[in-house]
Each structure stands twice: as C-alpha cells, then as structure tokens.
Amino acid sequence: MRAVVCLPTYNERENLEPMVRALGEVLPEDGRVLVIDDASPDGTGAIADRLAAELDRVDVLHRERKEGLGRAYVDGFRRVLATDAELVLEMDCDFPHDPADVPRLIAAVEQGADLALGSRYVPGGGVADWGFLRRVISYGASVYTRSLLMSVRDPTGGFKCFRREVLESIELDEVDAAGYVFQIETTFRALRKGFRVVEVPIRFSDRTQGASKMSRAIVFEAIWKVPALRLRALAGRL
C-alpha cells in the first residue's frame, strides 16, 4: 500500500534533514515524504527544497504563514489525497516519534485497521526524558479526553497512519482545531464514522534540537474543545 508521511515544520532546520533521511531508510520503496513548511524564518523551507531536489521521494508544500498544526495537516492531507496514495501518516519532525516505528503503523493498517495510533499509554508504550509535571499534564489530558469522548488510551498522540478512506470521510473542511486537539478531533471523527482504530505501543522521546511549539493557547483550546466535540456529537452534528 503506497504510503506518504506528512511532516509539518516550523523552525526545524536542525531536525528536518536527519528525519527525512531516516524515513528514507524505513519507508517502502514507493513511499514518499511531504514536508509542510509554514514559512519558517530559520530557513527550514529552503532545506526542504534542497532535499526535494536531491531525493526523488520528497515533496514540499509551502504555506504562507504559521496557522497551527491542525491547519498544516489539513492542507497536507488534501495534497496527498489528490494523489494515488493509500496510506497517509503524520508524525513530528523533532524525533519524539521514532522513524523505525513507521513500518509498524503501516503494518497495523495493512492487517485490517483503518487508523493506527502510536500510543504511549498501552502496554509496551511509554515516555522518556519527561519530568513529573509534564507526565501528569499529558496523562491527565488523556484521562480527560477518555472520560468525555472515547476509550482510546492515547488520544492526544500525533503519530498516526490513516487509510485514505478515513480522511476522505471525516469532513476535513469542518475540522477547525488549530493545535494538538486536532489529534483528538480526527480520531474521534474516525470512530464516529465506524472506522476501526488500533493503538500500537511506542516509546516517546523528548526533542533534543530546537524549541517546543506547545503554548498556553494550545492547552486552553484542548480544554474547551473536548467538551464542545461531545456536545456536537450528542446533538447529532458530528
């Protein structure tokens, strides 16, 4: 099944080339990487263009400005769905997700899942290099989401493999989450459509290069967006 990895970037000049080359080692022969750059002021976009010129499997989508992770992914998904790709993956560029786990997510879909999630909170999964407070916040967000929306153990994770039919069915134009709650919303929509979601255990590591994109606005969006999704579902509008 032909796979494309969507790789959103903003100021990832230290991480982009190592990630793209690592993906080249693990993707199927016809797999591709789509770099989605939000006009990074550090020159990440230029690095992406150079890699696309050097490597046949790399494409680049330049966006005019930074509008949030969710909007970057939606634009990337639309680009991929215009091709004949059968699987669409998403992951972070700063190596919290191990490229070596990409074949495991692809295999989970090839074996019958519609959406495979790289999960920190199922047996065999976990996190590394996190302090106590960050662990509490992350796990608390997962418990909060599970209590209101769905039984997925790691609903906030951003390492996923979609069968293209999922993305074609979940009304991407209506997905308005800008930050990390985008991950919650897309999984919830997939479940509401009756697609089979499985969690694949992964080990999540903190970035070693560059700065985190987490902000208070992203956290607040998740706090109000999760109950809003529940209310929309109860009203039959999702």
Side-chain angles (χ1 to χ4, degrees):
M1 301 179 76
R2 185 160 178 258
V4 178
V5 177
C6 290
L7 203 62
T9 58
Y10 185 77
N11 287 350
E12 294 289 356
R13 62 177 302 151
E14 300 97 340
N15 295 310
L16 178 58
E17 183 163 1
M19 174 58 76
V20 167
R21 295 195 181 278
L23 287 171
E25 296 294 321
V26 299
L27 280 170
E29 185 176 350
D30 59 351
R32 302 192 66 80
V33 177
L34 173 63
V35 180
I36 309 157
D37 187 66
D38 280 3
S40 297
D42 73 343
T44 300
I47 295 172
D49 287 336
R50 173 176 60 79
L51 291 170
E54 294 177 7
L55 305 171
D56 290 340
R57 67 168 69 234
V58 179
D59 300 299
V60 185
L61 172 59
H62 291 284
R63 288 167 23 99
E64 294 182 357
R65 58 187 179 277
K66 190 174 187 291
E67 297 177 306
L69 184 70
R71 299 263 51 90
Y73 270 130
V74 168
D75 286 349
F77 291 164
R78 288 193 183 113
R79 172 70 68 89
V80 176
L81 291 175
T83 73
D84 62 351
E86 299 169 271
L87 303 178
V88 186
L89 293 98
E90 58 167 82
M91 63 188 298
D92 294 344
C93 186
D94 53 350
F95 285 92
H97 308 133
D98 187 346
D101 287 328
V102 165
R104 298 173 59 232
L105 295 189
I106 291 175
V109 176
E110 290 179 332
Q111 292 165 11
D114 297 305
L115 169 57
L117 310 178
S119 179
R120 297 162 289 186
Y121 301 128
V122 295
V127 297
D129 310 319
W130 278 10
F132 176 75
L133 181 59
R134 186 170 180 185
R135 289 174 185 267
V136 169
I137 292 172
S138 175
Y139 190 74
S142 296
V143 172
Y144 177 64
T145 302
R146 292 202 307 270
S147 68
L148 290 176
L149 289 183
M150 53 189 169
S151 61
V152 172
R153 300 291 299 175
D154 191 359
T156 64
F159 192 15
K160 299 182 175 182
C161 180
F162 296 88
R163 197 180 294 272
R164 72 172 291 136
E165 290 82 3
V166 177
L167 295 177
E168 291 172 334
S169 301
I170 63 174
E171 292 91 22
L172 286 174
D173 290 339
E174 296 180 11
V175 179
D176 58 0
Y180 290 95
V181 72
F182 171 83
Q183 310 298 357
I184 297 171
E185 183 168 354
T186 51
T187 299
F188 185 54
R189 286 176 175 271
L191 288 167
R192 294 284 295 176
K193 291 288 186 180
F195 289 108
R196 180 173 178 241
V197 177
V198 302
E199 295 187 77
V200 177
I202 63 164
R203 188 75 176 171
F204 184 97
S205 300
D206 208 358
R207 69 160 57 228
T208 59
Q209 300 286 339
S212 171
K213 310 302 190 301
M214 182 62 71
S215 68
R216 290 181 182 178
I218 289 172
V219 174
F220 289 144
E221 181 190 38
I223 290 173
W224 71 262
K225 183 75 171 180
V226 167
L229 286 169
R230 179 177 174 82
L231 290 174
R232 289 176 65 186
L234 290 173
R237 295 187 290 111
L238 191 65

